[in-house]
Amino acid sequence: MKKQDLYRLYDKGQLSLLDIHFSKFIERIEGKDNPELLLAAALVSSSTRQGNVCLNLSDLSKNTLLDAADGGKAVICPRLDDWVESLRACNTVGTPEEYKPLILDNSNRLYLFRYWDYQHTLATLIKESIEEDDIHLDTPLLKKRLEGLFPEEDTGEINWQRIAALAALKKRFCVISGGPGTGKTTAVVKILCLIQELEYPNKKRIAIATPTGKAAARLQEIIKYSRETIDCPEAIKESIPEKALTIHRLLRAIPNSPYFKYRQGNPLPVDVLIVDEASMVDMALMAKLALALPQHAKLILLGDKDQLASVEAGAALGDICNAATIDTFSKEFSQTLQYAAGYTIKAADETNHKANISDSIIQLKKNYRFGLHSGIYRLSMAVNNGDGDEALRLLMSGEFDDISWKKLPESNTIPKTMKKNIIEGYSSYLRFKDTLEALHMFDNFRVLCALRNGHYGVKAINLLVEKALEEKGHITLNDKWYLGRPIMITRNDYNLRLFNGDIGITLPDPDKNGELRVFFQGEDGVLKEFFHLSLPEHETVFAMTVHKSQGSEFEEVLLILPDVESPVLTRELIYTGITRAKKGIEIWGNENVFRSAISRCIDRSSGLREELLSL
């Protein structure tokens, strides 16, 4: 392995210039040439950029990264034992107990130090939380209230929301996972009601957070509705907050830095923290959030473990859930379930070392939005089960009004083929003069793409949509900032409180003689307006990637897949795209590409699951 080989890997798209410069920096610190270290440092940097927390050397041992060509030798990863031995002899590589730039654990996973530290910190804090019960659940009041708030299902099946409530009350750390429509938010409002009732007249300080402003605004609406309909005393209802904040706003992000006001040593003034859409939270932010909590505080994560993971490194929610055996509990928790919830669930074998964390991980099963006869529900389950043939059968059967399949059109016929979808989907929001209503109506329809580039990518589709709407007279493309232009923020701006994923629309401001401004709905539901020159980086958003759609829901969705396979196309991506739709989804694709995507799962390298089980 020579330095010029790094640039050959760069030319093939396997490394970035950042990866190369990082590896050279590590070698300079080491003080001598070391081909094994040079390659490992470049690869761990690349792996982290791709969303992994670490680089698993075992997976790469003896892999051919580049074939011999143009006079250059083949680039082959070293044999595992030789590679590990060489790295362990380096001054820049340490064990998990050491403070060095790179950390190599006993399972041959190589980390950048800060990512190992994030992982270890999060694992340690979770372990401490699950070992301590928050309250003793032996009151007749609790049993009565659980039965009232979470009544038996009509089918006589277990109400998993009741079990989730019990876990959230008993444990200082709890995950409630479930797909859209399983009632996660409704359940957590009832849980907060129970927490306050059991403490009355004392009141717990409660905070509610989400990764994005849009998710916060949507969550507030659900909480407000649920709070009004819940069966509990008014004094208790009033103690449940309606306001949800972004995690960055909750922690008080310090501008132009990765740090927050609330952190270890200066904890948040809360007793209970609810985090919704937790699958979108990366490892670093999850660790910082956990560190910012007081030692006594309760943390409840809501999310869908089967969705796409965060854009940044790590799949914290998925790793945490995978450390548990779903629906299997310890003997102690099973006894609590029988007494307080009325359910008899066989306890795990006492040798099952997953049982303790399993008490804190509850998977909701019943879907209250989509019935068993819903096409969206059936399709999402088939995809989640990895059954591409069944998913295609459902799409093509014509049995369901809410799902459909169309063979991917040739690139030169897309404008004509898409025109009907575009006009029906996007013309409605352009007719509304009320700004807030226009923002809401814009969510009636969205085009989702798997990729950014190419004929079937976001960039091309956005241009196509603009042209179709102009031809129909709905917009006028005489300027980049035309009336009705929707944009999505792509870089956080802490000063303006605009964050990656926030969506705004360019509309006239009646208070400024109809001058165009870009309007956003804040977490508190209040409109925020900006002159376009003051905005951080952004892009037009008639079409968006499935990754960027996380945390959002749309009435109707058109999901466009590319014509060739890509590593980006995975089961999680297809599932996430489908579950963004509330009323209907149409998928355009190639059958083989669709099947292949469903057969491929995201496998992000991380040691969080193993560390949770080993602590």
Side-chain angles (χ1 to χ4, degrees):
M1 174 70 190
K2 298 180 181 179
K3 288 184 176 65
Q4 55 264 38
D5 291 329
L6 295 179
Y7 289 98
R8 291 174 60 204
L9 289 168
Y10 167 74
D11 291 337
K12 293 294 183 179
Q14 295 189 51
L15 294 179
S16 71
L17 289 176
L18 174 65
D19 304 329
I20 294 172
H21 289 307
F22 175 75
S23 65
K24 289 181 176 180
F25 171 69
I26 291 295
E27 192 177 59
R28 283 199 302 273
I29 297 175
E30 186 65 28
K32 59 182 179 181
D33 291 347
N34 185 320
E36 290 84 3
L37 176 63
L38 190 72
L39 178 61
L43 291 177
V44 73
S45 173
S46 174
S47 183
T48 304
R49 283 191 305 100
Q50 294 170 36
N52 297 297
V53 176
C54 59
L55 176 73
N56 196 326
L57 299 181
S58 302
D59 293 339
L60 290 174
S61 175
K62 301 189 76 173
N63 278 14
T64 300
L65 301 179
L66 280 179
D67 293 322
D70 302 325
K73 293 183 178 180
V75 178
I76 303 173
C77 291
R79 198 170 66 90
L80 180 61
D81 291 345
D82 296 337
W83 205 358
V84 169
E85 183 180 358
S86 176
L87 292 177
R88 292 208 185 280
C90 294
N91 294 322
T92 50
V93 180
T95 64
E97 293 77 28
E98 296 179 296
Y99 183 66
K100 292 190 177 182
L102 301 176
I103 300 297
L104 181 60
D105 70 11
N106 292 330
S107 298
N108 303 321
R109 288 185 289 253
L110 185 68
Y111 299 80
L112 301 177
F113 174 82
R114 65 190 176 106
Y115 281 98
W116 176 84
D117 191 46
Y118 290 142
Q119 176 184 290
H120 181 67
T121 296
L122 182 58
T124 302
L125 292 171
I126 290 174
K127 175 65 175 177
E128 291 173 354
S129 297
I130 64 175
E131 284 185 341
E132 299 177 16
D133 286 354
D134 193 48
I135 56 175
H136 295 289
L137 304 177
D138 56 359
T139 65
L141 171 64
L142 174 62
K143 186 174 182 179
K144 180 180 178 181
R145 294 297 288 136
L146 280 172
E147 291 173 353
L149 291 171
F150 303 98
E152 294 288 347
E153 301 287 355
D154 295 337
T155 59
E157 297 176 350
I158 290 174
N159 186 333
W160 286 96
Q161 287 189 355
R162 188 189 295 186
I163 294 178
L166 200 57
L169 287 164
K170 184 176 177 62
K171 312 300 290 188
R172 283 206 297 115
F173 174 78
C174 179
V175 175
I176 302 175
S177 177
T182 52
K184 297 184 295 293
T185 308
T186 303
V188 89
V189 173
K190 295 177 180 180
I191 290 167
L192 293 178
C193 170
L194 283 170
I195 289 172
Q196 298 293 47
E197 276 196 76
L198 293 173
E199 294 290 331
Y200 193 81
N202 298 320
K203 292 182 181 179
K204 293 283 190 181
R205 297 168 299 173
I206 298 170
I208 302 171
T210 67
T212 67
K214 185 169 185 180
R218 186 165 59 86
L219 181 61
Q220 282 181 174
E221 294 175 2
I222 299 172
I223 291 174
K224 184 177 180 180
Y225 172 79
S226 300
R227 200 176 75 159
E228 291 173 354
T229 57
I230 197 170
D231 178 22
C232 71
E234 285 300 318
I236 300 300
K237 288 183 182 181
E238 292 173 4
S239 69
I240 300 173
E242 286 184 11
K243 191 170 186 178
L245 302 175
T246 61
I247 295 172
H248 286 80
R249 189 172 177 185
L250 173 74
L251 295 179
R252 302 280 184 88
I254 298 173
N256 305 315
S257 87
Y259 304 109
F260 297 95
K261 173 185 175 181
Y262 291 112
R263 57 190 184 278
Q264 189 175 30
N266 184 38
L268 285 160
V270 301
D271 302 306
V272 181
L273 174 61
I274 309 294
V275 180
D276 195 16
E277 299 291 352
S279 63
M280 298 174 65
V281 184
D282 60 84
M283 184 75 77
L285 187 55
M286 191 73 84
K288 292 175 182 180
L289 188 65
L291 272 174
L293 287 174
Q295 188 173 0
H296 71 275
K298 183 189 293 291
L299 176 60
I300 302 174
L301 303 180
L302 309 179
D304 186 347
K305 67 179 180 62
D306 299 313
Q307 267 191 204
L308 281 167
S310 58
V311 175
E312 302 298 329
L317 184 73
D319 286 343
I320 293 167
C321 290
N322 288 335
T325 302
I326 301 299
D327 303 347
T328 300
F329 307 109
S330 67
K331 182 177 180 181
E332 180 189 0
F333 190 70
S334 295
Q335 290 172 343
T336 302
L337 276 177
Q338 188 168 12
Y339 171 77
Y343 296 130
T344 301
I345 297 179
K346 186 178 179 181
D349 187 284
E350 292 184 4
T351 61
N352 185 345
H353 57 299
K354 290 186 178 183
N356 284 340
I357 193 168
S358 297
D359 292 348
S360 294
I361 315 294
I362 308 300
Q363 176 73 27
L364 300 183
K365 297 174 174 59
K366 181 174 179 178
N367 199 297
Y368 296 90
R369 180 189 303 167
F370 304 116
L372 292 176
H373 301 293
S374 159
I376 292 175
Y377 178 76
R378 294 271 299 275
L379 177 62
S380 66
M381 290 301 98
V383 170
N384 215 0
N385 293 330
D387 193 340
D389 290 335
E390 174 64 7
L392 279 170
R393 188 196 70 77
L394 291 168
L395 283 164
M396 297 176 176
S397 67
E399 297 175 31
F400 306 97
D401 296 333
D402 55 346
I403 60 173
S404 61
W405 172 269
K406 179 176 287 187
K407 183 180 179 181
L408 189 67
E410 296 294 330
S411 58
N412 60 344
T413 66
I414 294 178
K416 181 179 179 181
T417 310
M418 276 192 69
K419 197 166 187 178
K420 182 172 182 292
N421 298 76
I422 292 168
I423 302 305
E424 289 181 357
Y426 287 125
S427 59
S428 58
Y429 89 93
L430 293 164
R431 292 195 294 264
F432 278 85
K433 295 182 178 180
D434 179 81
T435 303
L436 192 58
E437 189 65 28
L439 281 164
H440 288 163
M441 291 296 292
F442 184 62
D443 282 345
N444 279 357
F445 175 73
R446 191 74 85 251
V447 180
L448 301 182
C449 304
L451 306 176
R452 288 188 53 78
N453 300 313
H455 294 299
Y456 305 99
V458 165
K459 292 180 180 179
I461 299 299
N462 271 318
L463 292 174
L464 187 154
V465 173
E466 286 181 325
K467 185 176 180 181
L469 289 174
E470 183 183 40
E471 289 176 354
K472 198 68 176 178
H474 290 303
I475 62 174
T476 304
L477 297 176
N478 56 359
D479 187 85
K480 177 182 178 181
W481 290 99
Y482 54 84
L483 177 66
R485 182 191 179 198
I487 66 144
M488 178 172 59
I489 300 299
T490 57
R491 180 177 59 81
N492 293 339
D493 188 316
Y494 298 108
N495 294 316
L496 295 179
R497 295 197 179 279
L498 288 174
F499 300 101
N500 191 353
D502 287 352
I503 290 178
I505 300 179
T506 310
L507 296 168
D509 185 346
D511 297 329
K512 294 183 175 62
N513 298 318
E515 291 183 10
L516 293 183
R517 293 290 186 270
V518 185
F519 291 86
F520 297 81
Q521 184 177 357
E523 306 105 301
D524 52 7
V526 176
L527 286 171
K528 302 186 294 184
E529 62 174 278
F530 301 90
F531 185 53
H532 64 82
L533 291 178
S534 68
L535 293 173
E537 293 174 17
H538 54 269
E539 60 189 24
T540 304
V541 72
F542 288 112
M544 63 197 302
T545 62
V546 175
H547 277 86
K548 290 288 188 179
S549 74
Q550 287 177 268
S552 300
E553 290 182 339
F554 313 104
E555 298 295 312
E556 303 281 342
V557 165
L558 171 59
L559 175 60
I560 301 179
L561 304 178
D563 55 344
V564 293
E565 292 188 24
S566 165
V568 171
L569 288 172
T570 62
R571 181 183 307 173
E572 292 85 355
L573 183 138
I574 303 295
Y575 172 81
T576 301
I578 292 168
T579 54
R580 297 312 90 202
K582 296 171 69 175
K583 290 186 177 178
I585 181 167
E586 184 173 325
I587 300 177
W588 293 8
N590 173 293
E591 291 181 32
N592 291 332
V593 171
F594 183 75
R595 283 194 187 92
S596 178
I598 292 175
S599 69
R600 187 185 301 115
C601 291
I602 292 175
D603 184 19
R604 286 193 169 180
S605 294
S606 160
L608 179 59
R609 175 183 176 275
E610 287 74 10
E611 196 164 356
L612 285 171
L613 292 175
S614 66
L615 285 174

